[in-house]
Amino acid sequence: MAAAAAAAPALYACTKCNQRYPFEELSQGQQLCKECRIAHPIVKCTYCRSEFQQESKTNTICKKCAQNVKQFGTPKPCQYCNIIAAFIGTKCQRCTNSEKKYGPPQTCEQCKQQCAFDRKEEGRRKVDGKLLCWLCTLSYKRVLQKTKEQRKSLGSSHSNSSSSSLTEKDQHHSKHHHHHHHHHRHSSSHHKISSLSPEQDQGLWKQSSINQSADSGGTDNFVLISQLKEEVMSLKRLLQQRDQTILEKDKKLTELKADFQYQESNLRTKMNSMEKAHKETVEQLQAKNRELLKQVAALSKGKKFDKSGSILTSP
């Protein structure tokens, strides 16, 4: 029983669901099981483009950007890197800190934008001495990691296939002649290297440099493709945001037009009522004026009649 307990593999808890699994089944970084990795994948933030663990499918921004959105509102594109993460001013926090630490930005060797900060030898050593911006640096590191993994898998498959092709007889024969063959191979290779002429040596260096340039060219192509994909995604997001802004402006314009029409209708109604009241007042005044004119005419006739009567009756 003790031997069975000792033979049982050690189990470790997942940091999300707290269920226990063998160490090999957990992720290297956050120690997550397979189900939690599927339910909560690592995605990029819509604004700052940094990676974070997604809590839900509707959650597309990291916690830091969510807090900044509540505090400062929707961010603007950074004037250096064009990442939509400028919550304060015209620069994102990453470019602001890099500018304070490393000085003004320089042109990135990959995307040709003025958003790369020279981190001297320590930072360039990780990207083969290139001067890259933050996004291009991430893409370059991912490509290097993929190429390393591909080469490792190809090397392991090749070694496994070559080792499995050996038979027991060949293994026995190789063991028997191992020492002699190793000595002979070492001496022959040393003789070949020492017997190379300067022209042949220079040709070998040229061939190795060509291979290195080909590898770097393939890596650059991978980086360029990934960078173009990220630029297309950022442009699509920017286009969606502009479309949303245009829709909001159209909605506001429609509301203003409706308000204007309502106010215009009210003004027309008010003007019509005022014009009608004015006509009625004018008509009333004209009728009153006619009455007064009649009265004046009647009074003037009565005075003439009285004067004529008094003349006739006088002695």
Side-chain angles (χ1 to χ4, degrees):
M1 184 175 180
L11 299 178
Y12 298 88
C14 173
T15 56
K16 198 72 179 176
C17 63
N18 294 325
Q19 295 184 5
R20 295 188 173 275
Y21 298 91
F23 185 76
E24 292 79 10
E25 296 183 6
L26 299 177
S27 62
Q28 295 181 359
Q30 298 181 346
Q31 302 296 314
L32 296 176
C33 63
K34 185 176 181 181
E35 295 178 357
C36 290
R37 290 198 298 270
I38 296 174
H40 307 282
I42 302 296
V43 296
K44 286 187 176 181
C45 177
T46 306
Y47 291 145
C48 67
R49 306 301 298 154
S50 60
E51 294 181 349
F52 72 101
Q53 188 175 357
Q54 191 177 27
E55 297 294 335
S56 62
K57 292 184 179 180
T58 58
N59 185 18
T60 59
I61 59 176
C62 62
K63 293 181 180 179
K64 188 175 180 181
C65 287
Q67 185 178 0
N68 289 332
V69 168
K70 290 181 180 179
Q71 187 175 359
F72 304 106
T74 306
K76 300 177 182 178
C78 177
Q79 69 176 11
Y80 290 155
C81 61
N82 289 327
I83 297 176
I84 308 173
F87 291 95
I88 304 173
T90 59
K91 293 179 286 188
C92 65
Q93 192 64 35
R94 188 181 296 111
C95 288
T96 302
N97 295 334
S98 298
E99 188 176 16
K100 289 179 181 178
K101 190 174 181 180
Y102 303 108
Q106 300 180 16
T107 304
C108 176
E109 295 182 7
Q110 191 63 41
C111 63
K112 307 303 179 185
Q113 293 184 4
Q114 198 79 11
C115 56
F117 295 92
D118 192 1
R119 292 177 172 81
K120 308 303 178 183
E121 295 181 358
E122 183 179 356
R124 291 195 180 190
R125 194 182 301 115
K126 299 178 181 179
V127 289
D128 296 337
K130 296 179 181 291
L131 181 60
L132 303 177
C133 63
W134 182 72
L135 286 177
C136 293
T137 301
L138 292 181
S139 302
Y140 196 81
K141 287 181 179 179
R142 283 196 298 269
V143 171
L144 289 179
Q145 185 66 26
K146 287 182 181 179
T147 53
K148 286 180 181 179
E149 292 176 357
Q150 289 176 358
R151 288 175 181 176
K152 186 183 290 184
S153 62
L154 289 174
S156 60
S157 62
H158 180 70
S159 61
N160 291 331
S161 62
S162 61
S163 60
S164 61
S165 64
L166 290 175
T167 59
E168 294 180 357
K169 184 176 179 180
D170 293 334
Q171 290 178 357
H172 179 73
H173 183 72
S174 63
K175 287 180 181 179
H176 182 70
H177 295 282
H178 175 70
H179 180 70
H180 177 72
H181 179 68
H182 176 71
H183 179 72
H184 178 69
R185 184 177 58 186
H186 178 73
S187 61
S188 60
S189 62
H190 180 72
H191 178 69
K192 287 180 180 179
I193 292 172
S194 61
S195 61
L196 286 174
S197 62
E199 292 80 4
Q200 292 175 342
D201 193 8
Q202 188 176 3
L204 288 175
W205 280 109
K206 287 183 180 179
Q207 184 66 30
S208 62
S209 63
I210 290 171
N211 293 331
Q212 289 178 359
S213 62
D215 293 337
S216 62
T219 304
D220 291 339
N221 289 333
F222 276 118
V223 173
L224 182 59
I225 291 170
S226 59
Q227 181 64 27
L228 289 174
K229 287 182 179 179
E230 291 182 357
E231 286 182 0
V232 168
M233 291 176 64
S234 64
L235 289 174
K236 284 183 179 179
R237 283 191 298 273
L238 185 61
L239 185 61
Q240 289 177 358
Q241 290 180 357
R242 288 184 177 178
D243 290 340
Q244 185 68 25
T245 305
I246 291 172
L247 288 175
E248 291 177 356
K249 288 184 178 180
D250 288 340
K251 185 178 178 181
K252 190 173 182 180
L253 185 61
T254 305
E255 292 176 354
L256 290 173
K257 285 182 178 179
D259 190 17
F260 176 74
Q261 290 178 358
Y262 177 73
Q263 291 180 2
E264 186 180 8
S265 177
N266 288 337
L267 287 174
R268 287 183 181 276
T269 305
K270 191 174 181 180
M271 287 175 63
N272 291 332
S273 62
M274 289 176 67
E275 187 177 0
K276 186 177 180 181
H278 178 68
K279 285 182 179 179
E280 291 177 355
T281 304
V282 169
E283 288 177 357
Q284 290 176 1
L285 291 173
Q286 287 178 353
K288 193 173 182 180
N289 192 18
R290 285 193 296 268
E291 290 290 333
L292 291 172
L293 288 174
K294 288 180 181 180
Q295 292 179 7
V296 169
L299 289 172
S300 63
K301 286 181 181 181
K303 286 181 179 180
K304 288 180 181 180
F305 180 76
D306 291 340
K307 287 180 180 180
S308 64
S310 61
I311 293 171
L312 291 173
T313 57
S314 63

